[in-house]
Amino acid sequence: MSNALRFLPRQLADHLVTRGVAMAVVGLVLMLPLLSTLHLGAHVTPEQVDLAFGQALRAGAPLLTLVATYGIVGADARQGFYRFLFSKPVSPTAYYASAFVVAGMSFVVVELVLAGVFALLVGPTWSTTVLLDAAVGFVLLGAIVFAFSRFTRLDWLVAILVTAVANFARWKYPPHDSTLGAVLNVIFPPTGTKTYFPEGMHPAWGPLAWALGYAAVMLAIGLSAVRFLELGSNR
Amino acid sequence: MIDVSHVSKTYRSVLRGRTVHAVRDLSLTVAAGEVFGIAGPNGAGKTTLLAVLLGFLRPDGGSVRIAGDVPRTFVERHGVCYLSELVDIPGWWSVRGAIDRYALLTGIPGHARPAAVRDAIERLGLGEHRAKRIKQLSKGNRQRVGLAQALLGDSPVVILDEPTHGLDPLWTQRFRDIVATLRRPDRAIVIASHNLDELERLADRVAILDHGALSRLVDGGEAPAAGALAYRLVLEADHAAVSASFPTARRTASSRDVSFDVEGTIEELNAGLRALLASGAVVRAFYPARSRLEESFRQAVEQS
């Protein structure tokens, strides 16, 4: 087992302490208005619970993703932590790949905590597709953040801008109307998909594959930057 | 063990339109078993050179090989016992937690790790601080944590950048003892420091860098250079024969004792000393005004 993989549990513990708590607080704050409304209501059907939880998670997941993934590479470079880390027999590429996985695990843990709080205060939700949708959303947006992490400390802001520009480009140049629209549709991330699991556990394979494929390319860009660019500068 | 051949490294700032040649056409070798010092004024390129040796930076020209590998490959296979000038460790980690994490990354197996962590903490006198967070430590203690993590593992290469920076005199002395224990026939040790006295005590050879280039290579075993030597003469009391014995003698500004700076060849200094003692002066001390490394350093920097 590589040293980076052996280090993964410590990375997860550190991520949960430094960001997981913040993510849970942000998630709860975002859910608060919905929680108070539902809690005060006299009767809530299981379908309404699932719907409300889905809405809350869809609204909050992008923000939680940004908190989980910003500065994965950039923060170490900026704060100088890379010096001791990568004087050890560790591959930086493996280390940051596992850091991204850790951010994803942390995201799932926080999702489950929020689902638990929701169940406690409102009622149990069995809408696993909502959790899966959020997970795919995490992989897509998180990978975009990661792709820029070696280049700028504002990787999270770049990801927001890329998403906004993608939405604008698809509105201005619909993919099926022109060649430019079709090209832009390929270049920009697939941000238009509302759900990857429209019929229970049966995924919409096309959008799912497109999102995961796009994320894979973004992760490859991020890892290539770690592998082929300098780890840090003295200036 | 370490072979640096015609290495250059330039920093370019596109926005400021500025170019800084941090390292210029630098070549040197460090043999296994050797302690190699790197000295130079601020901005001489010492830290950049170490960053290149560790594979953090890539040279623009030339090549670096460590045991035949490019630096990054060597580090990822074997690791390097490395202490950076700035000890950057996440502030929320405890001392024990930090050493344990670095031990894990070093590849020390689980069953041996607790003992290795305990040893590193005790060796650097960090026992009473083990539960403290890194951000709660003083600069000196943080430096000791940096040194503790550097001593983990068994790499054939040790690179220490300003290792006694922030250490008190007691720990500076202990650091020298630690370096003595690190020395072994199959290991190359590189120490970059502003502290010439420290390098003179520890290093077999010292490279003096200036403006990114190798200005001089001082060998610890070299005989003193021929020519004028600068010495300090300390007397029990002022004596009229001083100026006759040492025509170049200049009274120092010291108010604590009667001392003079004198210059001359080794023969002239011996003759002057004999004459002074014969005239009845009581000499308390006679020692080099500057160490040989200091002298070389001064000459190298003045030349450039």
Side-chain angles (χ1 to χ4, degrees), chain B residues 236-299:
Chain B
E236 189 66 34
D238 205 355
H239 200 281
V242 171
S243 56
S245 307
F246 294 100
T248 61
R250 288 189 313 275
R251 183 80 184 252
T252 67
S254 171
S255 58
R256 287 176 302 163
D257 50 30
V258 181
S259 59
F260 300 84
D261 283 334
V262 297
E263 282 184 5
T265 62
I266 196 78
E267 292 79 15
E268 288 167 347
L269 293 176
N270 272 290
L273 204 51
R274 271 196 301 273
L276 190 63
L277 289 168
S279 67
V282 179
V283 176
R284 281 179 59 194
F286 192 65
Y287 56 89
R290 285 184 290 269
S291 72
R292 201 155 50 78
L293 185 56
E294 278 178 325
E295 189 66 32
S296 298
F297 186 86
R298 194 175 62 84
Q299 287 172 5

Side-chain angles (χ1 to χ4, degrees), chain B residues 167-181:
Chain B
L167 293 184
D168 60 32
L170 177 66
W171 274 101
T172 301
Q173 178 63 46
R174 287 184 182 167
F175 164 75
R176 289 183 191 133
D177 298 339
I178 288 170
V179 171
T181 65

Side-chain angles (χ1 to χ4, degrees), chain A residues 84 87-88, chain B residues 80-84 87 89 94-104 106 108 113 115-127 129-130 134 137 140-154 158-160 163 167 171 175 178 182:
Chain A
F84 288 162
S87 64
K88 309 299 180 201
Chain B
V80 166
C81 299
Y82 171 58
L83 171 64
S84 56
V87 176
I89 300 173
S94 69
V95 169
R96 196 193 173 289
I99 305 293
D100 185 55
R101 282 168 171 83
Y102 290 123
L104 202 159
T106 302
I108 297 172
R113 214 164 51 241
V117 171
R118 201 171 44 245
D119 287 352
I121 286 175
E122 281 170 12
R123 195 172 182 190
L124 272 298
L126 291 163
H129 305 295
R130 72 176 65 210
I134 297 294
L137 298 179
N141 286 335
R142 205 179 287 205
Q143 186 78 0
R144 277 151 64 186
V145 175
L147 200 50
Q149 67 77 36
L151 300 181
L152 294 164
D154 193 35
V158 178
I159 296 179
L160 307 171
L167 293 184
W171 274 101
F175 164 75
I178 288 170
L182 290 177

